[in-house]
Amino acid sequence: MSIPRGFALITGASAGIGETFARQLAQAGHPLVLCARRRDRLEALAADLSQKVRCEIVVADLEAPDSAERLAEELERRGIEVGYLVNNAGYGVPGEFLSKDWQVHQRSLQLMLTGVCELSWRLLPGMRQRGFGRVINVASLAGHLPGSAGHTLYAAIKSFLIKFSQSLALENETHGVKVMALCPGFTYSEFHDVTGTRGQVSKMPSYMWMTAEDVVRDGLRAIERGEIVHINGRLNRMIARLFAWLPSGLALRLIRKQSKNFRKL
């Protein structure tokens, strides 16, 4: 893992993969900025980790259109320089596209797509100026597979994050800044409880699952190796390669058949 230079800012830090990033980065000595909506959870996590490193919390609703600008302004007000950005906050919107009001989709796009781009745009100049930075965009194995029915925007957003990360990595590699899309598959966290798919995914075999601890540890090592896109787990990498090789029509038919196992319609 990199030598700590500046704070590590983690969005969606109150649970799951985000909380695990916070714990592992703190263990490595990185001072933290923990950002999420749930103040009580952030305060509890900060109280725990402040025994190891300095912890700042920023309670923010990253679904708000001006949230990235306000977050960057708050960091500047506190004199915080970010050397490690983990764009982790996100969720899936269950059901078919037309089953939800547009405002629901708009909020998810702001949180996981527009906000990620803007926050990266606002923090990258400082990283480049200081000659050091790490940006991890938490994408998904879903971004490597054909789109499925249900959670309509989720795979599309994650696919965007993969391409976005590739471009950013190439643009910033001569400035001491590494950028990576982290692509976990099924991970033990609150994600499936939030999306209402816990019943479906709990029927999937245990070998399909990884712990958040393994996902994060694997990802932190991968970015230091210079990987730009990292898929967690050998099985998930095999799945991605299989779908890349398959004719698109056949791949889509397989997803159509299997999507009921992990998507809520």
Side-chain angles (χ1 to χ4, degrees):
M1 192 180 294
S2 63
I3 298 171
R5 301 187 196 180
F7 279 76
L9 168 61
I10 304 158
T11 68
S14 60
I17 289 175
E19 179 185 346
T20 305
F21 264 112
R23 293 188 179 281
Q24 294 195 16
L25 287 168
Q27 189 65 37
H30 289 268
L32 301 175
V33 180
L34 308 174
C35 181
R37 287 182 293 189
R38 295 179 285 189
R39 177 181 293 275
D40 58 338
R41 289 205 175 191
L42 290 181
E43 289 179 343
L45 180 60
D48 185 15
L49 297 182
S50 61
Q51 301 173 42
K52 298 184 178 72
V53 295
R54 178 181 168 188
C55 290
E56 298 275 341
I57 66 170
V58 178
V59 179
D61 181 3
L62 297 179
E63 293 179 347
D66 63 348
S67 58
E69 181 180 10
R70 287 178 175 271
L71 176 53
E73 289 175 349
E74 179 63 18
L75 295 173
E76 184 175 2
R77 187 187 70 79
R78 299 189 194 185
I80 292 173
E81 294 182 345
V82 174
Y84 218 117
L85 171 61
V86 181
N87 286 307
N88 167 74
Y91 55 81
V93 177
E96 292 187 353
F97 188 56
L98 296 181
S99 69
K100 297 291 188 293
D101 292 338
W102 171 245
Q103 289 75 14
V104 174
H105 297 306
Q106 190 174 44
R107 289 195 296 270
S108 71
L109 287 165
Q110 175 62 43
L111 176 66
M112 297 190 291
L113 194 154
T114 306
V116 168
C117 292
E118 183 178 352
L119 192 56
S120 301
W121 181 82
R122 291 185 179 279
L123 297 183
L124 274 168
M127 295 181 184
R128 289 171 62 138
Q129 184 179 24
R130 294 186 293 272
F132 176 85
R134 301 289 185 266
V135 179
I136 297 179
N137 295 317
V138 179
S140 172
L141 174 63
H144 295 273
L145 308 180
S148 63
H151 298 214
T152 318
L153 293 177
Y154 184 78
I157 291 170
K158 297 305 187 181
S159 180
F160 173 92
L161 289 181
I162 292 167
K163 299 298 184 184
F164 175 60
S165 300
Q166 290 172 327
S167 295
L168 279 190
L170 297 180
E171 291 173 3
N172 290 279
E173 61 185 355
T174 61
H175 298 277
V177 178
K178 296 181 179 181
V179 182
M180 185 183 76
L182 182 65
C183 303
F186 291 105
T187 305
Y188 291 113
S189 71
E190 292 182 352
F191 178 86
H192 300 288
D193 299 309
V194 174
T195 59
T197 55
R198 176 61 61 192
Q200 290 107 303
V201 299
S202 63
K203 299 175 184 177
M204 302 188 72
S206 59
Y207 61 78
M208 295 288 294
W209 292 84
M210 294 183 69
T211 65
E213 288 75 17
D214 287 340
V215 166
V216 171
R217 187 180 303 109
D218 191 28
L220 292 174
R221 291 171 179 167
I223 194 170
E224 294 307 321
R225 291 195 299 267
E227 292 190 41
I228 296 173
V229 178
H230 182 73
I231 302 172
N232 295 97
R234 186 178 301 173
L235 177 60
N236 292 325
R237 290 190 285 272
M238 289 175 58
I239 291 171
R241 292 192 192 102
L242 172 64
F243 276 92
W245 294 334
L246 288 175
S248 58
L250 176 57
L252 194 58
R253 287 197 294 275
L254 287 174
I255 288 294
R256 178 188 290 120
K257 182 178 180 181
Q258 295 297 322
S259 61
K260 66 180 183 297
N261 294 326
F262 54 88
R263 290 288 184 260
K264 184 175 182 181
L265 298 177

